[in-house]
């Protein structure tokens, strides 16, 4: 079994609420969301850092991030989104991941990644993951 938690989610060996499952990229809910709908966009192939990511996959990651950001508007009522990627420094999982965080005006977010909440139940998370997946524009 893979060591990396994101590889295990990809392989179905660890729980994860998937919102995108495409050829080169997957996306799933962050287990410690800043706000409900906070999504991680991840290259399917295990790549630890941005420097190791090939251009086509980097483009695919960014494109999925763009589409998830748009989907968060109808899915969770976001006004906008915050996209961020910790590359080595502050990167707690050694598999490239783009954070897509739903934002609302005056949502009180002062720093970038705190404070974190939790989903009340797996059902709540599943519902939000399904709403994002259903709101995604098709892959171009
Ligand atoms: P960073 O600190 O930028 O490397 O973000 C890593 C994110 O990964 C952090 O926001 C929490 C999330 N995370 C860590 N472990 C798991 C997990 O097992 N499942 C999910 N869905 N997210 C995880």
């Amino acid at each position: 079994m893979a060591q990396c938690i994101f590889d295990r989610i990809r392989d179905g060996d660890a729980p994860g609420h998937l919102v995108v499952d495409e050829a080169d990229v997957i996306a799933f809910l962050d287990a410690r969301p800043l706000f409900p709908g906070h999504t991680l966009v991840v290259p399917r192939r295990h790549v630890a850092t941005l420097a190791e990511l090939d251009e086509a996959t980097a483009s695919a990651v960014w494109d999925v991030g763009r589409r998830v950001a748009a989907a968060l508007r109808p899915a969770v009522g976001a006004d906008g989104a915050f996209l961020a990627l910790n590359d080595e420094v502050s990167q707690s999982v050694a598999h490239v991941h783009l954070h897509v965080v739903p934002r609302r005006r005056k949502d009180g977010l002062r720093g970038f990644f705190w404070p974190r909440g939790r989903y009340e139940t797996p059902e709540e998370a599943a519902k939000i993951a399904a709403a994002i997946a259903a709101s995604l524009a098709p892959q171009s």
Side-chain angles (χ1 to χ4, degrees):
M1 195 188 287
Q3 291 298 307
C4 169
I5 181 61
F6 292 171
D7 286 341
R8 293 211 295 273
I9 291 171
R10 174 200 64 202
D11 295 343
D13 294 329
H17 295 281
L18 229 60
V19 303
V20 173
D21 188 357
E22 295 178 356
D24 297 326
V25 179
I26 60 171
F28 47 84
L29 295 183
D30 190 307
R32 300 296 315 280
L34 266 167
F35 298 115
H38 179 165
T39 298
L40 300 175
V41 181
V42 173
R44 180 176 290 281
R45 184 170 66 87
H46 183 88
V47 178
T49 65
L50 265 186
E52 299 166 66
L53 199 60
D54 64 273
E55 186 179 340
T57 309
S59 296
V61 166
W62 184 250
D63 189 59
V64 171
R66 175 184 75 83
R67 288 158 52 219
V68 169
L72 290 171
R73 269 90 161 166
V76 299
D79 297 321
F82 169 65
L83 281 74
L85 189 153
N86 287 314
D87 191 29
E88 297 206 50
V89 175
S90 294
Q91 182 181 354
S92 60
V93 178
H95 186 143
V96 169
H97 48 281
L98 176 65
H99 295 261
V100 186
V101 180
R103 297 293 314 270
R104 286 193 177 83
R105 291 183 185 85
K106 300 184 179 168
D107 60 17
L109 192 66
R110 299 255 183 264
F112 284 155
F113 287 127
W114 56 90
R116 298 302 185 93
R118 289 186 190 279
Y119 291 99
E120 289 292 324
T121 62
E123 290 73 23
E124 183 202 5
K127 190 173 165 191
I128 290 170
I132 297 169
S135 301
L136 274 180
Q139 197 175 8
S140 52

